[in-house]
Short mmCIF file of all heavy atoms in Angstrom, two decimals:
data_model
loop_
_atom_site.label_atom_id
_atom_site.label_comp_id
_atom_site.label_asym_id
_atom_site.label_seq_id
_atom_site.Cartn_x
_atom_site.Cartn_y
_atom_site.Cartn_z
N ARG H 224 -16.00 -2.03 8.17
CA ARG H 224 -16.36 -0.84 7.40
C ARG H 224 -16.52 0.37 8.32
O ARG H 224 -17.18 1.36 7.98
CB ARG H 224 -17.65 -1.09 6.61
CG ARG H 224 -17.53 -2.19 5.56
CD ARG H 224 -18.77 -2.29 4.69
NE ARG H 224 -19.02 -1.06 3.95
CZ ARG H 224 -18.46 -0.75 2.79
NH1 ARG H 224 -17.58 -1.58 2.22
NH2 ARG H 224 -18.75 0.39 2.19
N ILE H 225 -15.88 0.29 9.48
CA ILE H 225 -16.04 1.35 10.48
C ILE H 225 -14.82 2.25 10.56
O ILE H 225 -14.91 3.47 10.35
CB ILE H 225 -16.33 0.74 11.87
CG1 ILE H 225 -17.63 -0.08 11.82
CG2 ILE H 225 -16.44 1.83 12.93
CD1 ILE H 225 -17.91 -0.87 13.07
N ALA H 226 -13.64 1.68 10.85
CA ALA H 226 -12.47 2.54 11.07
C ALA H 226 -11.17 1.76 10.99
O ALA H 226 -11.12 0.56 11.26
CB ALA H 226 -12.58 3.23 12.42
N GLY H 227 -10.10 2.46 10.64
CA GLY H 227 -8.75 1.90 10.58
C GLY H 227 -7.79 2.94 10.06
O GLY H 227 -8.21 4.00 9.59
N LEU H 228 -6.51 2.65 10.11
CA LEU H 228 -5.51 3.58 9.59
C LEU H 228 -5.43 3.54 8.07
O LEU H 228 -5.08 4.53 7.43
CB LEU H 228 -4.12 3.25 10.16
CG LEU H 228 -3.88 3.50 11.63
CD1 LEU H 228 -2.47 3.09 11.99
CD2 LEU H 228 -4.10 4.96 11.97
N SER H 229 -5.75 2.37 7.49
CA SER H 229 -5.63 2.18 6.05
C SER H 229 -6.93 1.63 5.46
O SER H 229 -7.74 1.03 6.17
CB SER H 229 -4.50 1.19 5.72
OG SER H 229 -3.24 1.73 6.02
N ILE H 230 -7.08 1.84 4.17
CA ILE H 230 -8.20 1.27 3.41
C ILE H 230 -7.65 0.28 2.40
O ILE H 230 -6.64 0.56 1.73
CB ILE H 230 -8.97 2.39 2.68
CG1 ILE H 230 -9.71 3.28 3.68
CG2 ILE H 230 -9.95 1.81 1.65
CD1 ILE H 230 -10.25 4.55 3.08
N PHE H 231 -8.29 -0.87 2.29
CA PHE H 231 -7.97 -1.87 1.28
C PHE H 231 -9.16 -2.00 0.34
O PHE H 231 -10.30 -2.16 0.79
CB PHE H 231 -7.72 -3.24 1.93
CG PHE H 231 -6.31 -3.48 2.39
CD1 PHE H 231 -5.79 -2.78 3.45
CD2 PHE H 231 -5.51 -4.41 1.75
CE1 PHE H 231 -4.50 -3.00 3.88
CE2 PHE H 231 -4.21 -4.64 2.16
CZ PHE H 231 -3.69 -3.93 3.23
N CYS H 232 -8.91 -1.94 -0.96
CA CYS H 232 -9.96 -2.20 -1.96
C CYS H 232 -9.43 -3.16 -3.01
O CYS H 232 -8.38 -2.89 -3.62
CB CYS H 232 -10.40 -0.91 -2.65
SG CYS H 232 -11.48 0.14 -1.65
N LEU H 233 -10.12 -4.26 -3.21
CA LEU H 233 -9.82 -5.18 -4.31
C LEU H 233 -10.91 -5.00 -5.35
O LEU H 233 -12.10 -5.15 -5.05
CB LEU H 233 -9.80 -6.64 -3.82
CG LEU H 233 -9.51 -7.69 -4.89
CD1 LEU H 233 -8.09 -7.56 -5.42
CD2 LEU H 233 -9.74 -9.10 -4.33
N ALA H 234 -10.50 -4.65 -6.56
CA ALA H 234 -11.46 -4.38 -7.63
C ALA H 234 -11.03 -5.10 -8.90
O ALA H 234 -9.94 -5.68 -8.97
CB ALA H 234 -11.57 -2.88 -7.88
N LYS H 235 -11.89 -5.05 -9.92
CA LYS H 235 -11.63 -5.78 -11.17
C LYS H 235 -12.03 -4.94 -12.36
O LYS H 235 -13.05 -4.25 -12.31
CB LYS H 235 -12.41 -7.09 -11.14
CG LYS H 235 -12.00 -8.14 -12.13
CD LYS H 235 -12.78 -9.42 -11.87
CE LYS H 235 -12.32 -10.56 -12.74
NZ LYS H 235 -13.09 -11.80 -12.47
N LYS H 236 -11.24 -4.99 -13.42
CA LYS H 236 -11.60 -4.29 -14.64
C LYS H 236 -12.77 -4.96 -15.32
O LYS H 236 -12.77 -6.19 -15.50
CB LYS H 236 -10.39 -4.25 -15.61
CG LYS H 236 -10.70 -3.50 -16.90
CD LYS H 236 -9.48 -3.37 -17.81
CE LYS H 236 -9.85 -2.67 -19.10
NZ LYS H 236 -8.69 -2.47 -20.00
#
Side-chain angles (χ1 to χ4, degrees):
R224 297 187 61 84
I225 299 172
L228 291 179
S229 291
I230 291 169
F231 273 69
C232 283
L233 179 67
K235 196 174 185 180
K236 181 176 178 178

